[in-house]
Amino acid sequence: MYKELEKFKVSNSFTFTVEDSLEQACNAPESGAGVFVVYAIEGDAKELIMVGSTGTVQNDGTLKSKNGGLYDKIVNGHQFAKTGRKYSWPAQMKLENIDALEVVWYETFNADVKAIPTAVEGQVLQNFLDANAKLPRWNVAF
């Protein structure tokens, strides 16, 4: 786990395989804003392959989040094509022979903590870049 994520107390994870429904597997909140990290599980190996976030902080300090929060961003957010992850993740997992994904999500902005989701996402990606000289393979750009 990345140290910058340890302070976020509202957090959980789920595992997803190509046989699963992402809509049913995802346990992220529909009202929460924050970040999610995706690990590819291949046998005993676990590799960070993606970092994402949702929620925008306005200049008055309030949060603007899309309806559906973290749940909607994980399940219906577009990746690999102009289609939701509930379709694109299983297809990509088959292409890459990934056994399962472990998705860990963190609420970074709520009544108790006020961390800008994209800033936290950027810090995790920066640390990954520092350690690996590249971004996780499912992050196209940042």
Side-chain angles (χ1 to χ4, degrees):
M1 171 155 70
Y2 286 83
K3 64 183 180 305
E4 56 274 321
L5 298 173
E6 292 172 2
K7 66 181 173 187
F8 303 114
K9 303 301 178 217
V10 181
S11 173
N12 208 333
S13 66
F14 64 91
T15 303
F16 173 72
T17 68
V18 292
E19 288 81 31
D20 296 332
S21 159
L22 188 55
E23 293 164 300
Q24 292 177 346
C26 183
N27 61 3
E30 292 185 23
S31 60
V35 301
F36 58 98
V37 292
V38 182
Y39 297 93
I41 310 294
E42 298 168 14
D44 293 338
K46 183 170 152 178
E47 174 193 357
L48 176 68
I49 60 169
M50 190 200 150
V51 181
S53 69
T54 187
T56 306
V57 178
Q58 304 298 297
N59 69 347
D60 65 358
T62 61
L63 180 75
K64 178 182 177 188
S65 63
K66 295 187 174 103
N67 293 341
L70 276 163
Y71 175 90
D72 188 63
K73 182 73 171 197
I74 293 169
V75 173
N76 296 310
H78 289 182
Q79 189 169 5
F80 304 119
K82 299 270 188 244
T83 183
R85 291 187 178 97
K86 63 186 172 189
Y87 305 114
S88 64
W89 276 5
Q92 193 67 24
M93 289 167 70
K94 287 177 187 169
L95 282 174
E96 296 185 27
N97 293 318
I98 296 172
D99 299 334
L101 298 178
E102 180 184 357
V103 181
V104 187
W105 56 265
Y106 303 86
E107 239 182 69
T108 67
F109 199 98
N110 56 32
D112 300 321
V113 64
K114 305 274 186 242
I116 299 169
T118 51
V120 176
E121 175 189 16
Q123 187 59 59
V124 173
L125 287 171
Q126 183 64 57
N127 290 346
F128 187 94
L129 178 66
D130 290 347
N132 301 283
K134 62 181 181 180
L135 292 178
R137 69 185 194 222
W138 282 15
N139 282 95
V140 175
F142 186 78

